[in-house]
Amino acid sequence: MAKKNVTVVGSGNWGMAIATIIAGNTARHPEFADDLTVWMFDEEVQHKGVKRKLSEVFNETKENVKYLPGITLPPHVRAEPDIKKAVGSADILIWVLPHQFVARTVQNMGPVKQGAVSVSLIKGGLELEGGKLGLCSDLLRKLLGHEVAVLMGANVANEVAAGEFCEATLGIQSEDHKDMLVKLFDCQTFRVTAVNDIPGVELCGALKNVVALGAGFCDGLDYGGNTKAALIRIGLQEMKTFIRYFYPDVNDSTFLESCGVADLITTCFGGRNRKCAEAFIRGKGAKSWDVIEKELLGGQKLQGTLTAQEIWPVMQKHNLIDSLPLFSTIYRIAFEDKAPWSIVKLPQGMPSSAFHKDDGFFDEKK
C-alpha cells in the first residue's frame, strides 16, 4: 500500500504546534510518508537583521520565528509557500487557518488528489443556510468533495509544541479513516479519542471562545476564581443549549470530552481570547478589538469576537436571546457598550444543570 502524504494547511501558532505532533507520527508509523509539508503563507520577517521570506527561514532553521519561536521542528518538515504544490500530492489535508480564509484558500489551490481526506482544526465559521446552522467542516466538505473530520481539544499551542501532556477529541463519521487519523495525531503526549459526533465536537471548539471572552471580562474586572468558575459552568450550559437547538442528536458525553469542558477550562484561563478580553476591559473600551488583536497577538487572529458576531444574528433569528443570557451579555459588552459588570447580573431562573432539567440539587420554587 502506498504511503500517505500529509499536508498541514496553515502555519500559525497552532498549525506549527500540531505539525510537531504529526511529524513525530509520520516518522513513527509506516502508513505515512515521512516528509510533512506545511503550506506557509509567504510573508516577510526580520531575521538576524535581514528581511527574508518566512518559508525560506523555516526551511533553513526548522523554526517558525514569527509564530512559534524557540521551537525547532524535525528535519523532515518542509514549508511550501505555493498552495498548489503544497496540496497537490496530499492524501490527508490538515486545516489550521482562520476560518475567514478557508474559501479563498480552497479557490487558489486547485483540484485535490482523488480519495483524499481532510481534518479541520478550525474553530468558528458558523453560518445559517436555509434555517440550518452550517459548520466550517460543512463548507470544506462542500468545496473539496471529500470526507472532513474535525479535531478539537484543550490544546494551548505552545504547551503542545513543548511536549506537555494533553488530550484532544477527533470527531469523525466514517469508520473507514478513523484508525488512520487517530494514528496521525495520537502519541504519548497528545492522546486522542475518536467520537462519532462532528457537530458536537466542532461547535464546542467554536463556542468556548465566546465564553472565554466572558472569562477575560471577569479578569479585567479583577473578579476571583469563584466568579470565573460560575461563568464557566453557565457557559458550558449555554453551549449545550445552543448546540442542542440545531443538532438535537449531539451526545451528552461529547461535552465531557477534551473538546468540551476541558477545552473550555483551559481557554478561560489561558487562551488568546481571554487575554484580549481582559485588555479590552482594562482599557475601558478605548481600543478597538482590531487594535488589541494587533498589539497582543503578533499576527494571530482573535476567534471569539468573530464567533460572537456570527452567532448573534442566529440567536436573534431563532429567538434564543432570552435562553442564552451569558452569550447575549458577552456580545453586548463586546459590541454594544454594555457595562462589563453586567456579566455577573444574569437573569434568575436559569436551569441549574447543563444536562438535566432538575438535577435535584436545587429545590424547585413553589
Short mmCIF file of all heavy atoms in Angstrom, two decimals, residues 69-112:
data_model
loop_
_atom_site.label_atom_id
_atom_site.label_comp_id
_atom_site.label_asym_id
_atom_site.label_seq_id
_atom_site.Cartn_x
_atom_site.Cartn_y
_atom_site.Cartn_z
N PRO A 69 8.30 30.81 17.86
CA PRO A 69 9.74 30.99 18.10
C PRO A 69 10.23 30.10 19.25
O PRO A 69 9.50 29.82 20.19
CB PRO A 69 9.85 32.47 18.48
CG PRO A 69 8.49 32.86 18.97
CD PRO A 69 7.53 32.02 18.19
N GLY A 70 11.47 29.64 19.10
CA GLY A 70 12.08 28.84 20.15
C GLY A 70 11.84 27.36 20.04
O GLY A 70 12.40 26.57 20.80
N ILE A 71 11.02 26.93 19.08
CA ILE A 71 10.73 25.50 18.88
C ILE A 71 11.30 25.07 17.53
O ILE A 71 10.95 25.63 16.49
CB ILE A 71 9.22 25.21 18.92
CG1 ILE A 71 8.63 25.62 20.27
CG2 ILE A 71 8.95 23.74 18.63
CD1 ILE A 71 9.05 24.79 21.45
N THR A 72 12.17 24.07 17.55
CA THR A 72 12.74 23.53 16.31
C THR A 72 11.98 22.27 15.92
O THR A 72 11.88 21.32 16.70
CB THR A 72 14.23 23.19 16.51
OG1 THR A 72 14.93 24.38 16.92
CG2 THR A 72 14.84 22.68 15.21
N LEU A 73 11.44 22.26 14.72
CA LEU A 73 10.69 21.11 14.23
C LEU A 73 11.65 20.09 13.61
O LEU A 73 12.80 20.42 13.29
CB LEU A 73 9.64 21.55 13.21
CG LEU A 73 8.30 21.98 13.85
CD1 LEU A 73 8.41 23.36 14.50
CD2 LEU A 73 7.17 21.95 12.83
N PRO A 74 11.20 18.84 13.45
CA PRO A 74 12.07 17.81 12.88
C PRO A 74 12.52 18.16 11.46
O PRO A 74 11.85 18.93 10.75
CB PRO A 74 11.17 16.57 12.87
CG PRO A 74 10.15 16.82 13.92
CD PRO A 74 9.91 18.31 13.89
N PRO A 75 13.66 17.60 11.03
CA PRO A 75 14.21 17.96 9.71
C PRO A 75 13.34 17.55 8.53
O PRO A 75 13.51 18.10 7.44
CB PRO A 75 15.56 17.22 9.68
CG PRO A 75 15.47 16.17 10.74
CD PRO A 75 14.55 16.70 11.78
N HIS A 76 12.40 16.60 8.73
CA HIS A 76 11.58 16.16 7.59
C HIS A 76 10.31 17.01 7.42
O HIS A 76 9.44 16.66 6.61
CB HIS A 76 11.22 14.68 7.71
CG HIS A 76 10.47 14.31 8.95
ND1 HIS A 76 11.10 14.12 10.17
CD2 HIS A 76 9.16 14.08 9.18
CE1 HIS A 76 10.21 13.79 11.08
NE2 HIS A 76 9.02 13.77 10.51
N VAL A 77 10.22 18.13 8.13
CA VAL A 77 9.11 19.07 7.92
C VAL A 77 9.58 20.16 6.95
O VAL A 77 10.63 20.76 7.16
CB VAL A 77 8.65 19.72 9.24
CG1 VAL A 77 7.47 20.67 8.98
CG2 VAL A 77 8.26 18.65 10.26
N ARG A 78 8.80 20.39 5.90
CA ARG A 78 9.20 21.35 4.87
C ARG A 78 8.09 22.36 4.62
O ARG A 78 6.92 22.00 4.47
CB ARG A 78 9.52 20.60 3.56
CG ARG A 78 10.01 21.49 2.40
CD ARG A 78 10.27 20.64 1.17
NE ARG A 78 9.06 19.97 0.71
CZ ARG A 78 8.18 20.53 -0.13
NH1 ARG A 78 8.37 21.76 -0.59
NH2 ARG A 78 7.12 19.85 -0.53
N ALA A 79 8.46 23.63 4.57
CA ALA A 79 7.49 24.69 4.26
C ALA A 79 7.40 24.87 2.75
O ALA A 79 8.42 24.90 2.06
CB ALA A 79 7.92 26.00 4.91
N GLU A 80 6.15 25.00 2.26
CA GLU A 80 5.91 25.23 0.83
C GLU A 80 4.98 26.43 0.69
O GLU A 80 3.81 26.36 1.07
CB GLU A 80 5.30 24.00 0.18
CG GLU A 80 4.88 24.19 -1.27
CD GLU A 80 5.99 24.71 -2.15
OE1 GLU A 80 6.96 23.97 -2.41
OE2 GLU A 80 5.89 25.90 -2.57
N PRO A 81 5.47 27.57 0.14
CA PRO A 81 4.62 28.75 0.03
C PRO A 81 3.61 28.71 -1.12
O PRO A 81 2.67 29.49 -1.14
CB PRO A 81 5.63 29.88 -0.19
CG PRO A 81 6.83 29.21 -0.80
CD PRO A 81 6.86 27.83 -0.23
N ASP A 82 3.80 27.80 -2.07
CA ASP A 82 2.88 27.66 -3.20
C ASP A 82 1.77 26.68 -2.80
O ASP A 82 2.02 25.48 -2.63
CB ASP A 82 3.64 27.14 -4.42
CG ASP A 82 2.78 27.09 -5.68
OD1 ASP A 82 1.61 26.68 -5.57
OD2 ASP A 82 3.27 27.47 -6.76
N ILE A 83 0.54 27.17 -2.66
CA ILE A 83 -0.55 26.34 -2.16
C ILE A 83 -0.83 25.15 -3.08
O ILE A 83 -1.12 24.04 -2.62
CB ILE A 83 -1.83 27.18 -1.92
CG1 ILE A 83 -2.95 26.34 -1.29
CG2 ILE A 83 -2.31 27.83 -3.21
CD1 ILE A 83 -2.67 25.84 0.08
N LYS A 84 -0.72 25.34 -4.39
CA LYS A 84 -0.98 24.24 -5.33
C LYS A 84 0.05 23.12 -5.17
O LYS A 84 -0.29 21.93 -5.17
CB LYS A 84 -1.00 24.75 -6.77
CG LYS A 84 -2.21 25.63 -7.08
CD LYS A 84 -2.23 26.06 -8.53
CE LYS A 84 -3.48 26.90 -8.81
NZ LYS A 84 -3.52 27.38 -10.20
N LYS A 85 1.31 23.50 -5.02
CA LYS A 85 2.35 22.49 -4.81
C LYS A 85 2.21 21.82 -3.46
O LYS A 85 2.48 20.62 -3.30
CB LYS A 85 3.73 23.14 -4.92
CG LYS A 85 4.12 23.60 -6.32
CD LYS A 85 5.50 24.23 -6.31
CE LYS A 85 5.89 24.72 -7.71
NZ LYS A 85 7.21 25.41 -7.69
N ALA A 86 1.78 22.59 -2.45
CA ALA A 86 1.68 22.06 -1.09
C ALA A 86 0.63 20.96 -0.99
O ALA A 86 0.82 19.98 -0.27
CB ALA A 86 1.37 23.19 -0.11
N VAL A 87 -0.49 21.11 -1.71
CA VAL A 87 -1.60 20.17 -1.54
C VAL A 87 -1.73 19.17 -2.68
O VAL A 87 -2.48 18.21 -2.57
CB VAL A 87 -2.94 20.92 -1.36
CG1 VAL A 87 -2.85 21.93 -0.23
CG2 VAL A 87 -3.38 21.60 -2.66
N GLY A 88 -1.00 19.38 -3.78
CA GLY A 88 -1.21 18.59 -4.99
C GLY A 88 -1.11 17.09 -4.81
O GLY A 88 -1.88 16.32 -5.40
N SER A 89 -0.16 16.62 -4.00
CA SER A 89 0.03 15.18 -3.81
C SER A 89 -0.45 14.68 -2.46
O SER A 89 -0.19 13.54 -2.09
CB SER A 89 1.52 14.83 -3.99
OG SER A 89 2.29 15.48 -2.98
N ALA A 90 -1.17 15.52 -1.72
CA ALA A 90 -1.57 15.17 -0.35
C ALA A 90 -2.73 14.17 -0.34
O ALA A 90 -3.73 14.36 -1.04
CB ALA A 90 -1.94 16.42 0.42
N ASP A 91 -2.60 13.15 0.49
CA ASP A 91 -3.69 12.22 0.76
C ASP A 91 -4.51 12.67 1.98
O ASP A 91 -5.68 12.32 2.10
CB ASP A 91 -3.13 10.82 1.02
CG ASP A 91 -2.37 10.27 -0.16
OD1 ASP A 91 -3.03 9.93 -1.17
OD2 ASP A 91 -1.13 10.20 -0.09
N ILE A 92 -3.85 13.39 2.88
CA ILE A 92 -4.50 13.89 4.09
C ILE A 92 -4.18 15.37 4.23
O ILE A 92 -3.00 15.77 4.24
CB ILE A 92 -4.02 13.14 5.35
CG1 ILE A 92 -4.22 11.63 5.18
CG2 ILE A 92 -4.77 13.64 6.58
CD1 ILE A 92 -3.59 10.80 6.29
N LEU A 93 -5.22 16.19 4.32
CA LEU A 93 -5.06 17.64 4.48
C LEU A 93 -5.49 18.02 5.90
O LEU A 93 -6.59 17.69 6.33
CB LEU A 93 -5.91 18.40 3.47
CG LEU A 93 -5.56 18.19 2.00
CD1 LEU A 93 -6.68 18.70 1.10
CD2 LEU A 93 -4.26 18.90 1.66
N ILE A 94 -4.62 18.72 6.61
CA ILE A 94 -4.92 19.18 7.97
C ILE A 94 -5.13 20.69 7.90
O ILE A 94 -4.18 21.44 7.62
CB ILE A 94 -3.76 18.85 8.94
CG1 ILE A 94 -3.32 17.38 8.79
CG2 ILE A 94 -4.16 19.18 10.37
CD1 ILE A 94 -4.40 16.36 9.07
N TRP A 95 -6.36 21.14 8.18
CA TRP A 95 -6.71 22.55 8.03
C TRP A 95 -6.57 23.29 9.35
O TRP A 95 -7.26 23.00 10.32
CB TRP A 95 -8.14 22.67 7.50
CG TRP A 95 -8.27 22.16 6.10
CD1 TRP A 95 -8.46 20.86 5.71
CD2 TRP A 95 -8.16 22.92 4.90
NE1 TRP A 95 -8.48 20.77 4.34
CE2 TRP A 95 -8.30 22.03 3.82
CE3 TRP A 95 -7.97 24.28 4.64
CZ2 TRP A 95 -8.26 22.45 2.49
CZ3 TRP A 95 -7.94 24.69 3.32
CH2 TRP A 95 -8.07 23.79 2.27
N VAL A 96 -5.63 24.26 9.36
CA VAL A 96 -5.36 25.02 10.59
C VAL A 96 -5.11 26.48 10.20
O VAL A 96 -3.99 26.97 10.23
CB VAL A 96 -4.12 24.49 11.36
CG1 VAL A 96 -4.19 24.89 12.82
CG2 VAL A 96 -3.97 22.99 11.23
N LEU A 97 -6.17 27.18 9.83
CA LEU A 97 -6.05 28.59 9.47
C LEU A 97 -7.34 29.29 9.88
O LEU A 97 -8.36 28.64 10.09
CB LEU A 97 -5.74 28.77 7.98
CG LEU A 97 -6.80 28.51 6.92
CD1 LEU A 97 -6.30 28.98 5.56
CD2 LEU A 97 -7.16 27.04 6.82
N PRO A 98 -7.32 30.60 10.03
CA PRO A 98 -8.55 31.31 10.41
C PRO A 98 -9.67 31.03 9.43
O PRO A 98 -9.46 30.99 8.21
CB PRO A 98 -8.13 32.79 10.37
CG PRO A 98 -6.65 32.76 10.62
CD PRO A 98 -6.16 31.52 9.94
N HIS A 99 -10.88 30.82 9.95
CA HIS A 99 -11.98 30.36 9.10
C HIS A 99 -12.35 31.33 8.00
O HIS A 99 -12.85 30.93 6.95
CB HIS A 99 -13.22 30.02 9.95
CG HIS A 99 -13.81 31.16 10.71
ND1 HIS A 99 -14.56 32.15 10.12
CD2 HIS A 99 -13.77 31.47 12.03
CE1 HIS A 99 -14.96 33.01 11.04
NE2 HIS A 99 -14.50 32.64 12.21
N GLN A 100 -12.03 32.62 8.19
CA GLN A 100 -12.39 33.59 7.15
C GLN A 100 -11.54 33.45 5.89
O GLN A 100 -11.85 34.03 4.86
CB GLN A 100 -12.29 35.03 7.70
CG GLN A 100 -10.94 35.44 8.23
CD GLN A 100 -10.77 35.21 9.72
OE1 GLN A 100 -11.24 34.20 10.24
NE2 GLN A 100 -10.10 36.12 10.40
N PHE A 101 -10.47 32.65 5.96
CA PHE A 101 -9.59 32.46 4.80
C PHE A 101 -9.83 31.13 4.08
O PHE A 101 -9.14 30.83 3.10
CB PHE A 101 -8.12 32.52 5.23
CG PHE A 101 -7.72 33.83 5.88
CD1 PHE A 101 -6.90 33.84 7.00
CD2 PHE A 101 -8.19 35.04 5.40
CE1 PHE A 101 -6.54 35.03 7.62
CE2 PHE A 101 -7.83 36.24 6.01
CZ PHE A 101 -7.01 36.23 7.11
N VAL A 102 -10.79 30.33 4.55
CA VAL A 102 -10.96 28.97 4.01
C VAL A 102 -11.37 29.00 2.54
O VAL A 102 -10.73 28.37 1.68
CB VAL A 102 -12.00 28.19 4.83
CG1 VAL A 102 -12.43 26.92 4.11
CG2 VAL A 102 -11.43 27.83 6.20
N ALA A 103 -12.44 29.72 2.21
CA ALA A 103 -12.96 29.70 0.83
C ALA A 103 -11.92 30.18 -0.17
O ALA A 103 -11.72 29.57 -1.23
CB ALA A 103 -14.23 30.55 0.75
N ARG A 104 -11.22 31.26 0.18
CA ARG A 104 -10.21 31.81 -0.74
C ARG A 104 -9.04 30.83 -0.92
O ARG A 104 -8.53 30.68 -2.04
CB ARG A 104 -9.70 33.15 -0.19
CG ARG A 104 -8.78 33.89 -1.16
CD ARG A 104 -8.46 35.27 -0.63
NE ARG A 104 -7.58 35.21 0.53
CZ ARG A 104 -7.38 36.23 1.36
NH1 ARG A 104 -8.03 37.36 1.17
NH2 ARG A 104 -6.56 36.12 2.38
N THR A 105 -8.65 30.17 0.16
CA THR A 105 -7.54 29.22 0.08
C THR A 105 -7.90 28.04 -0.82
O THR A 105 -7.12 27.63 -1.68
CB THR A 105 -7.14 28.72 1.48
OG1 THR A 105 -6.79 29.85 2.29
CG2 THR A 105 -5.96 27.77 1.42
N VAL A 106 -9.11 27.50 -0.65
CA VAL A 106 -9.55 26.38 -1.48
C VAL A 106 -9.63 26.80 -2.94
O VAL A 106 -9.22 26.05 -3.85
CB VAL A 106 -10.91 25.84 -1.00
CG1 VAL A 106 -11.43 24.76 -1.97
CG2 VAL A 106 -10.80 25.26 0.41
N GLN A 107 -10.11 28.01 -3.18
CA GLN A 107 -10.22 28.52 -4.55
C GLN A 107 -8.85 28.61 -5.22
O GLN A 107 -8.70 28.31 -6.40
CB GLN A 107 -10.88 29.90 -4.52
CG GLN A 107 -11.19 30.47 -5.89
CD GLN A 107 -11.87 31.83 -5.80
OE1 GLN A 107 -11.89 32.45 -4.74
NE2 GLN A 107 -12.41 32.30 -6.91
N ASN A 108 -7.83 28.98 -4.44
CA ASN A 108 -6.49 29.17 -5.00
C ASN A 108 -5.70 27.88 -5.18
O ASN A 108 -4.71 27.86 -5.92
CB ASN A 108 -5.67 30.11 -4.10
CG ASN A 108 -6.19 31.54 -4.14
OD1 ASN A 108 -6.85 31.94 -5.10
ND2 ASN A 108 -5.91 32.30 -3.10
N MET A 109 -6.14 26.80 -4.54
CA MET A 109 -5.26 25.63 -4.52
C MET A 109 -5.53 24.62 -5.64
O MET A 109 -4.74 23.70 -5.84
CB MET A 109 -5.35 24.93 -3.17
CG MET A 109 -6.62 24.19 -2.91
SD MET A 109 -6.65 23.63 -1.20
CE MET A 109 -7.64 22.15 -1.35
N GLY A 110 -6.63 24.78 -6.36
CA GLY A 110 -6.88 23.86 -7.46
C GLY A 110 -7.39 22.52 -6.97
O GLY A 110 -7.69 22.34 -5.79
N PRO A 111 -7.48 21.54 -7.87
CA PRO A 111 -8.05 20.23 -7.51
C PRO A 111 -7.16 19.46 -6.52
O PRO A 111 -5.94 19.59 -6.55
CB PRO A 111 -8.14 19.49 -8.85
CG PRO A 111 -7.14 20.16 -9.73
CD PRO A 111 -7.08 21.58 -9.30
N VAL A 112 -7.81 18.68 -5.67
CA VAL A 112 -7.07 17.84 -4.72
C VAL A 112 -7.03 16.42 -5.23
O VAL A 112 -7.77 16.04 -6.14
CB VAL A 112 -7.71 17.88 -3.31
CG1 VAL A 112 -7.60 19.27 -2.72
CG2 VAL A 112 -9.16 17.42 -3.34
#
